């Protein structure tokens, strides 16, 4: 591949999802991240109970992400052919797990007022 | 133009880039300075992948140039998608867009075919009789599938009588899937082959052989299916190391290989294919086949003074260009990019991606009165699908060297899921980005 610059990567992602969907996804990811930072500052700590519950969703996020990629690419676990494929599966899984954990944490933090849960 | 020192520097730069991989690849990108003022008249013949990408890049870099693109085709085909359509994985419209949607503003599109090229007078004439003069000419005509050269072939029969024709277009690729789907249900004898001419995506005939085998296995009909591959020469693939790998895979999958068999005729009624061999013509029956005809340069190029005047391609009509600069050897203000270029590798969209910036840079250097250091090394890429879900990311150059985009990460001769993901998800996006001049 020639000229694999950041600009090229953005252009490729825009084509992959469509410009609007891609930037909407980026925006959604940014909003969830900002919301997480917001509740972190608001609560001045990571709430253990939220985190524990949020972490329960991680395997669901991981499996959902992997199955989704397999579905849209007409492939399955049997197609894993080498070490790099295992790395790709794990990366997709970690991304799905992390994403859903963040979302679940932020959702809980917003649904309950922080003081209700403390002490 | 081919200053040897400049070329040597560029080669070293390229080797460093290949070895350094992704992180260094970015340094190869030419710096985008401000637009270059010019009154040059540039005519591009053909609005396919190469012509469109070239139009976009020139429009981005030049200010005041008259850029005219000549092509009668209203539809743009993403041809790398044809194999996926013919494998039942994508609908026919997956590969179809319009020519208009990719053309940049400021480029005039003449919606007519080019009928005549006169490089002595620096002008072309369209099918409608319009004469367009140029200072620079870009040949991006693509190639002609010479269906008439396969005796007995009838395009209307594609999808029936076990006849497939993946190359013919998106509708025919979809019809081929219908025929392959029926064949792998019922069983019988599949016969695959490729033409003896230069051809676009020489991996595609092999991919379709692999895919037919894969579907038969998935359906449990492989025991009733016989698969033959008739290679046109003494090898399956022009790159020796890849040829050996494909040979091993064909052995492994039970594909029976015959060498030095060149397609001559098809008899759809009797379901018989005729091949020319060193021992004379031979006939073989078939229940399913994928007809791939000889490929030649389009008539407008063949009938001009621009093709090779001798050598192995004299009958095929490819433009005689310098393989490193893509500049015509007799008419220095003419460049050829894409399938019509008479170079030994590179009738793929991946090659277009590497060729267009080189020809573009030499053209612009001419305008500026400079020398361009850019060279094309014959890079081409073939995501060799070996089954639904796996592919080998094969990339190579003029010297049959493997040129890995991701050395140490994606092994070129391994059947990998990641290579399949690239073909399925990233390739069309990269192609589209290329058409927009961004990749």
């Amino acid at each position: 591949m020639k000229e694999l610059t950041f600009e090229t990567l953005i252009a490729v992602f825009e084509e992959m999802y469509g410009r609007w969907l891609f930037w909407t996804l980026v925006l959604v990811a940014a909003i969830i991240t900002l919301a997480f930072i917001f509740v972190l500052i608001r609560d001045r700590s990571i709430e253990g109970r939220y985190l524990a519950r949020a972490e329960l969703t991680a395997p669901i996020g991981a499996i959902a992400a992997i199955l989704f990629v397999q579905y849209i690419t007409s492939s399955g676990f049997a197609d894993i052919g080498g070490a790099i494929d295992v790395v790709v599966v794990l990366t997709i899984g970690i991304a799905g797990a992390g994403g859903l954990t963040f979302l679940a944490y932020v959702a809980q933090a917003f649904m309950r007022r922080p003081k209700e849960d403390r002490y | 133009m081919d200053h040897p020192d400049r070329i040597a520097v560029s080669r070293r730069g390229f080797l460093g880039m290949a070895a350094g991989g992704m992180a260094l690849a970015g340094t190869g990108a030419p710096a985008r300075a401000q637009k270059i003022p010019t009154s040059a008249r540039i005519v591009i013949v053909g609005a396919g992948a190469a012509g469109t990408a070239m139009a976009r890049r020139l429009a981005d870099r030049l200010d005041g140039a008259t850029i005219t693109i000549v092509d009668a085709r209203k539809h743009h085909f993403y041809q790398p998608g044809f194999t996926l359509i013919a494998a039942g994985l994508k609908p026919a419209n997956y590969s179809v867009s319009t020519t208009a949607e990719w053309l940049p503003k400021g480029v005039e599109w003449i919606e007519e075919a080019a009928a005549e090229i006169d490089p002595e007078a620096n002008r072309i004439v369209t099918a409608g009789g319009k004469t367009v003069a140029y200072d620079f000419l870009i040949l991006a005509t693509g190639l002609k599938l010479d269906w008439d050269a396969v005796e007995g072939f009838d395009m209307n029969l594609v999808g029936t009588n076990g006849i497939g024709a993946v190359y013919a277009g998106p509708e025919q690729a979809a019809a081929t899937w219908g025929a392959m789907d029926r064949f792998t249900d019922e069983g019988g004898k599949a016969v695959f082959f490729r033409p003896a001419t230069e051809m676009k995506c020489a991996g595609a005939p092999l991919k379709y052989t692999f895919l037919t085998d894969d579907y038969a296995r998935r359906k449990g009909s492989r025991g009733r299916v016989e698969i033959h591959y008739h290679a046109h020469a003494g090898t399956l693939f022009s790159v020796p190391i890849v040829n050996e790998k494909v040979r091993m895979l064909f052995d492994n999958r039970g594909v029976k290989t015959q060498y030095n068999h060149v397609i001559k005729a098809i008899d759809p009624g009797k379901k018989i294919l005729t091949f020319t061999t060193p021992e004379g013509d031979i006939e073989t029956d078939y229940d399913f086949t994928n007809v791939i005809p000889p490929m030649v340069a389009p008539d407008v190029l063949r009938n001009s003074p621009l093709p090779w005047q001798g050598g192995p391609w004299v009958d095929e009509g490819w433009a005689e260009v310098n393989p490193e600069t893509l500049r015509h050897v007799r008419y220095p203000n003419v460049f050829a990019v894409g399938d019509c270029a008479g170079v030994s590798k590179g009738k793929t969209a991946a090659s277009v991606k590497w060729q267009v910036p080189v020809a573009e840079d030499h053209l612009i250097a001419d305008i500026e009165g400079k020398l361009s250091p850019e060279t094309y090394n014959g890079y081409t890429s073939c995501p060799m699908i070996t089954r639904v879900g796996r592919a080998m990311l094969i990339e190579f150059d003029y010297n049959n060297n493997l040129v890995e985009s991701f050395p140490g990460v994606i092994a070129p001769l391994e059947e990998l899921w990641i290579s399949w993901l690239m073909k399925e998800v990233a390739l069309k996006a990269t192609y589209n980005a290329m058409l927009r001049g961004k990749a």
Side-chain angles (χ1 to χ4, degrees):
Chain A
M1 196 170 290
K2 204 178 191 187
E3 294 180 27
L4 188 61
T5 59
F6 185 66
E7 192 197 353
T8 305
L9 273 182
I10 295 291
V12 169
F13 276 115
E14 281 184 356
E15 295 293 341
M16 208 182 281
Y17 295 99
R19 181 170 293 183
W20 288 105
L21 180 59
F22 172 66
W23 288 109
T24 305
L25 289 174
V26 170
L27 194 68
V28 167
I31 288 170
I32 294 171
T33 309
L34 285 175
F36 178 72
I37 293 167
F38 169 76
V39 295
L40 215 57
I41 293 168
R42 185 192 67 180
D43 300 349
R44 289 188 207 89
S45 67
I46 290 191
E47 285 287 337
R49 268 189 290 173
Y50 296 170
L51 187 62
R53 285 193 208 120
E55 279 173 348
L56 288 176
T57 66
I60 299 169
I63 291 166
I66 293 165
L67 292 180
F68 175 71
V69 172
Q70 289 179 345
Y71 171 73
I72 61 167
T73 60
S74 317
S75 50
F77 288 105
D79 294 316
I80 292 171
I84 183 65
D85 292 343
V86 177
V87 173
V88 173
V89 170
L90 291 176
T91 306
I92 295 167
I94 289 165
L100 196 59
T101 306
F102 261 95
L103 186 62
Y105 183 93
V106 170
Q108 291 178 84
F110 270 102
M111 279 191 292
R112 299 181 186 188
R113 290 172 62 82
K115 283 175 184 170
E116 290 173 10
D117 281 335
R118 280 190 186 166
Y119 311 110
Chain B
M1 285 306 297
D2 311 342
H3 196 289
D5 290 347
R6 297 289 184 101
I7 291 171
V9 166
S10 172
R11 274 196 192 130
R12 280 197 293 276
F14 169 73
L15 289 172
M17 190 177 98
M22 279 173 65
L24 286 179
T27 59
R32 282 282 175 266
Q34 62 189 114
K35 286 190 172 190
I36 295 146
T38 178
S39 57
R41 297 163 302 171
I42 302 168
V43 170
I44 301 170
V45 181
T52 303
M54 182 62 94
R56 176 74 66 150
R57 293 181 72 100
L58 290 174
D60 285 349
R61 282 188 74 183
L62 296 174
D63 185 20
T66 306
I67 303 172
T68 308
I69 197 161
V70 183
D71 198 323
R73 290 171 299 181
K74 302 265 188 293
H75 288 109
H76 182 103
F77 290 156
Y78 168 65
Q79 298 182 60
F82 289 0
T83 300
L84 297 177
I85 296 168
L89 301 170
K90 304 282 183 193
N93 66 12
Y94 172 72
S95 280
V96 184
S97 58
T98 61
T99 302
E101 71 193 79
W102 301 108
L103 292 178
K105 280 182 195 149
V107 170
E108 189 200 353
W109 176 24
I110 298 177
E111 293 185 50
E112 291 177 40
E116 188 190 326
I117 301 169
D118 184 351
E120 299 288 348
N122 290 323
R123 65 190 180 96
I124 67 141
V125 181
T126 67
K130 204 179 286 179
T131 299
V132 189
Y134 63 80
D135 297 310
F136 295 97
L137 176 68
I138 305 286
L139 298 168
T141 60
L143 55 68
K144 183 172 105 173
L145 296 161
D146 194 2
W147 298 104
D148 293 341
V150 181
E151 292 166 32
F153 178 77
D154 180 352
M155 190 65 81
N156 296 321
L157 293 179
V158 174
T160 68
N161 295 45
I163 298 174
V166 179
Y167 275 85
E171 296 300 334
Q172 290 82 359
T176 303
W177 161 241
M180 194 255 260
D181 193 27
R182 279 193 299 278
F183 168 73
T184 45
D185 282 338
E186 294 163 4
K189 180 178 173 185
V191 179
F192 298 108
F193 56 87
R194 59 153 283 180
T197 58
E198 292 292 324
M199 66 180 295
K200 51 184 162 190
C201 191
L206 303 167
K207 292 176 203 176
Y208 208 62
T209 307
F210 280 120
L211 285 165
T212 304
D213 166 78
D214 186 39
Y215 272 103
R217 285 172 197 275
R218 282 166 197 263
K219 292 178 177 184
S221 62
R222 189 63 180 87
R224 308 195 294 278
V225 165
E226 204 180 306
I227 301 180
H228 293 258
Y229 187 86
H230 292 241
H232 73 294
T235 55
L236 294 162
F237 201 82
S238 67
V239 180
I241 195 168
V242 178
N243 175 60
E244 274 304 294
K245 180 68 185 184
V246 175
R247 184 189 63 74
M248 289 191 279
L249 289 173
F250 270 11
D251 275 355
N252 175 265
R253 306 284 159 87
V255 175
K256 294 171 183 158
T257 307
Q258 286 82 29
Y259 293 101
N260 300 307
H261 281 49
V262 178
I263 186 66
K264 182 181 179 188
I266 182 168
D267 184 336
K270 293 182 185 162
K271 287 194 166 180
I272 286 176
L273 289 164
T274 306
F275 290 90
T276 302
T277 77
E279 288 80 40
D281 289 357
I282 63 125
E283 290 187 344
T284 182
D285 60 320
Y286 71 89
D287 296 296
F288 178 61
T289 188
N290 173 28
V291 179
I292 307 173
M295 300 186 196
V296 292
D299 294 342
V300 64
L301 175 52
R302 294 180 80 185
N303 298 333
S304 78
L306 295 165
W308 281 81
Q309 304 296 301
W313 296 325
V314 75
D315 294 331
E316 296 176 25
W318 315 114
E320 187 172 0
V321 293
N322 178 304
E324 292 188 325
T325 63
L326 303 161
R327 183 192 294 277
H328 200 278
V329 297
R330 294 186 299 280
Y331 300 96
N333 61 337
V334 177
F335 294 87
V337 282
D339 294 348
C340 69
V343 294
S344 63
K345 294 277 193 294
K347 299 201 189 309
T348 69
S351 296
V352 165
K353 188 159 123 49
W354 280 49
Q355 288 175 356
V356 166
V358 172
E360 166 215 337
D361 208 62
H362 281 269
L363 190 157
I364 286 175
D366 284 3
I367 289 174
E368 293 184 299
K370 294 178 182 171
L371 276 175
S372 168
E374 296 285 320
T375 56
Y376 171 61
N377 70 340
Y379 175 89
T380 194
S381 166
C382 169
M384 178 79 77
I385 296 168
T386 56
R387 69 184 220 193
V388 175
R390 274 194 198 171
M392 299 190 292
L393 186 62
I394 294 167
E395 301 162 282
F396 51 92
D397 64 12
Y398 281 138
N399 299 320
N400 292 332
N401 294 323
L402 294 178
V403 185
E404 295 151 71
S405 284
F406 309 97
V409 181
I410 302 180
L413 299 177
E414 260 182 52
E415 299 177 71
L416 294 172
W417 183 52
I418 189 172
S419 304
W420 169 260
L421 292 185
M422 287 191 171
K423 170 82 186 174
E424 259 270 333
V425 181
L427 218 60
K428 189 178 176 188
T430 309
Y431 177 93
N432 289 351
M434 175 184 85
L435 293 188
R436 295 189 200 283
K438 287 183 176 171

